[in-house]
Amino acid sequence: MASDKAKPCELNQEKYDADDNVKIICLGDSAVGKSKLMERFLMDGFRPQQLSTYALTLYKHTATVDGKTVLVDFWDTAGQERFQSMHASYYHKAHACIMVFDVQRKVTYKNLSTWYTELREFRPEIPCIVVANKIDADIKMTQRSFNFARKFSLPLYFVSAADGTNVVKLFNDAIRLAVSYKHNSRDFMDEVLQELENFDLEQKEEEVPDRVQRGNIESPSPS
Amino acid sequence: MHFLYFFKVYVRMMCTAKKCGIRFQPPAIILIYENEMKGKSRQRIMPVRNFSKFSDCNRAAEQLKNNPRHKNYLEQVSLRQLEKLFSFLRGYLWGQSLAETMEQIQRETTIDPEEDLNKLDDKELAKRKSIMDELFEKNQKKKDDPNFIYDIEVEFPQDEQLQSCGWDTESADEF
């Protein structure tokens, strides 16, 4: 456990409970352009953090929604999508999802259903945007209907990370949706989890008088 | 001495590449170029040395392009084209037909839209990504471009009677 001590606390997801923090996750197959979209939106402002232990790349962004500052963490996959499944912690506390496919590759569209099923397993209510990327490669695809989005009543955005079409709009809308989700509709799962946490807390307080112990189960014991 | 120096610069500026090909036996890259001063086509034969059927075409192309004796002439010939020519030579050394080599090059430089890239290992995935990056870079509007716009919004209404993308199945249960 000694090595754990040197590692900074990389992923404290508690912060996503704070009012001004939102977490937005990206989903989709390998090479659909998830990272390229992130980079186009953030331009020079991006400084991704590679969290290899969690197989993810984190992009931090500060936005202003209705005059209020919002700290946004964008979670991007780092190869784990190849297993067509993400770790549960990837979905944990997420407030919105951006789900991407490549208009040049049918298989990436077909796989949306797998991604969507997994997303709803963990986050049944969060807003989700379907993104048709790479329209610069085949603009005719913007004149086609895509039933997947229609079937689940999800918004569909036609974008191009290369020429920039609708990229900024996509991310700004996603942030807005994440914020409004967080403030307005409390997810049933969130409430259950909150209840459980409170329950846990009460119990712990009874059992362990020393409150410092609580929540530190995984930290290295002082040697 | 001065005269020679200027002459070299002159050659570099005035050499216009017309065609570039490969000869198998003995192996050589052949460039047809025009010397504008004289207005007539010239041919330059650049022998290929130390190339076997196990050689790396990309490396061979880079070496030739950076060869001090040839680099001025090859300035207008892309690395990709040279690499392709070396691929032809390699195919020939393996005893492949021209058609087979063409097919192989096609496979290695284009994306099979049916292929599930989730199933590839890192190296193969990186190859596909670099092929895709080529188109990306070609279509990319960069920040330094004079007419770069950060926020471009284009509406693509989905509510009309649009033709189906063709990727949805007929059954109502599936999308």
Side-chain angles (χ1 to χ4, degrees):
Chain A
M1 291 310 273
S3 64
D4 277 10
K5 198 161 192 175
K7 206 165 60 186
C9 184
E10 285 186 313
L11 261 188
N12 179 8
Q13 299 215 47
E14 299 280 307
K15 69 171 177 184
Y16 298 124
D17 293 332
D19 252 9
D20 58 351
N21 257 291
V22 292
K23 168 179 172 180
I24 298 176
I25 56 173
C26 296
L27 288 179
D29 279 11
S30 300
V32 292
K34 300 184 289 295
S35 306
K36 287 240 178 357
L37 286 169
M38 287 298 338
E39 285 162 20
R40 176 57 178 76
F41 173 63
L42 300 172
M43 301 301 294
D44 291 338
F46 86 92
R47 39 191 172 106
Q49 275 175 280
Q50 290 281 349
L51 305 183
S52 54
T53 38
Y54 296 92
L56 74 94
T57 310
L58 203 60
Y59 297 84
K60 289 179 180 298
H61 174 65
T62 309
T64 309
V65 177
D66 300 329
K68 283 190 193 128
T69 303
V70 184
L71 305 172
V72 189
D73 275 5
F74 290 106
W75 287 47
D76 187 12
T77 59
Q80 210 201 340
E81 70 271 36
R82 236 171 301 164
F83 306 104
Q84 291 205 37
S85 170
M86 298 301 294
H87 190 263
S89 64
Y90 193 79
Y91 297 97
H92 188 53
K93 292 183 196 279
H95 301 106
C97 172
I98 292 172
M99 215 165 63
V100 189
F101 73 99
D102 173 351
V103 293
Q104 294 211 287
R105 291 187 293 132
K106 175 181 173 178
V107 61
T108 67
Y109 175 72
K110 290 309 238 184
N111 283 339
L112 288 180
S113 67
T114 315
W115 289 117
Y116 193 67
T117 308
E118 186 170 274
L119 170 71
R120 288 309 180 214
E121 227 169 84
F122 293 101
R123 305 297 284 153
E125 302 286 340
I126 63 167
C128 176
I129 298 178
V130 180
V131 177
N133 189 26
K134 308 195 190 179
I135 56 165
D136 57 280
D138 188 358
I139 195 72
K140 286 200 293 294
M141 291 307 267
T142 59
Q143 304 299 311
R144 299 281 184 274
S145 70
F146 292 86
N147 264 353
F148 177 80
R150 207 169 280 180
K151 183 182 167 191
F152 296 103
S153 311
L154 302 172
L156 172 67
Y157 284 53
F158 289 101
V159 310
S160 160
D163 67 26
T165 306
N166 292 334
V167 175
V168 175
K169 181 179 165 54
L170 161 69
F171 282 98
N172 284 338
D173 289 358
I175 294 168
R176 201 165 273 281
L177 285 170
V179 169
S180 93
Y181 166 78
K182 185 165 190 169
H183 293 160
N184 301 328
S185 61
R186 286 205 60 89
D187 209 300
F188 175 68
M189 282 296 277
D190 279 345
E191 295 201 26
V192 172
L193 285 172
Q194 193 66 49
E195 287 290 312
L196 284 173
E197 266 168 36
N198 290 341
F199 183 68
D200 206 28
L201 195 141
E202 281 161 26
Q203 270 205 328
K204 285 257 171 61
E205 274 172 351
E206 280 165 30
E207 285 166 11
V208 193
D210 184 5
R211 291 190 60 194
V212 184
Q213 288 267 317
R214 195 180 55 80
N216 276 345
I217 309 147
E218 278 178 28
S219 65
S221 50
S223 48
Chain B
M1 282 310 264
H2 273 111
F3 174 75
L4 257 178
Y5 173 72
F6 283 121
F7 181 70
K8 269 187 182 167
V9 173
Y10 192 66
V11 165
R12 174 169 23 195
M13 288 170 72
M14 288 303 170
C15 164
T16 313
K18 288 283 167 203
K19 274 181 193 171
C20 193
I22 189 145
R23 184 180 71 195
F24 292 156
Q25 210 41 271
I29 299 280
I30 298 174
L31 176 76
I32 311 284
Y33 66 98
E34 211 161 76
N35 194 329
E36 277 175 28
M37 187 60 180
K38 286 176 187 156
K40 67 176 185 186
S41 288
R42 297 180 62 93
Q43 181 175 287
R44 185 174 180 83
I45 298 172
M46 295 163 272
V48 175
R49 300 197 173 91
N50 304 321
F51 188 88
S52 79
K53 61 180 178 182
F54 299 109
S55 294
D56 183 327
C57 297
N58 180 267
R59 248 176 94 182
E62 255 172 31
Q63 277 170 2
L64 186 72
K65 206 164 159 57
N66 294 323
N67 183 314
R69 290 185 54 217
H70 305 309
K71 69 193 270 189
N72 289 350
Y73 294 89
L74 291 173
E75 226 163 59
Q76 295 173 324
V77 183
S78 73
L79 194 66
R80 186 154 283 273
Q81 188 184 352
L82 288 175
E83 191 181 338
K84 203 170 161 183
L85 293 175
F86 278 107
S87 300
F88 278 118
L89 177 61
R90 214 176 91 119
Y92 166 79
L93 294 172
W94 277 101
Q96 289 175 342
S97 71
L98 207 56
E100 281 170 330
T101 307
M102 294 270 268
E103 203 189 299
Q104 193 184 347
I105 291 172
Q106 176 76 7
R107 231 187 359 256
E108 283 168 1
T109 53
T110 52
I111 296 291
D112 171 5
E114 300 292 321
E115 187 177 43
D116 189 343
L117 303 188
N118 292 333
K119 297 197 165 65
L120 300 179
D121 60 33
D122 284 346
K123 201 180 154 204
E124 287 300 309
L125 180 63
K127 265 194 209 168
R128 305 300 189 282
K129 281 191 175 180
S130 88
I131 297 169
M132 292 179 178
D133 280 349
E134 231 176 283
L135 182 68
F136 178 86
E137 278 157 27
K138 201 181 125 217
N139 292 347
Q140 190 178 20
K141 295 254 189 330
K142 292 204 185 96
K143 208 189 68 180
D144 339 308
D145 292 346
N147 49 2
F148 175 84
I149 303 166
Y150 174 60
D151 185 1
I152 312 163
E153 291 184 20
V154 183
E155 273 196 50
F156 300 105
Q158 271 280 295
D159 44 12
E160 306 162 35
Q161 289 297 315
L162 292 177
Q163 193 186 330
S164 161
C165 63
W167 295 346
D168 297 303
T169 39
E170 296 296 314
S171 105
D173 293 336
E174 258 189 293
F175 68 87

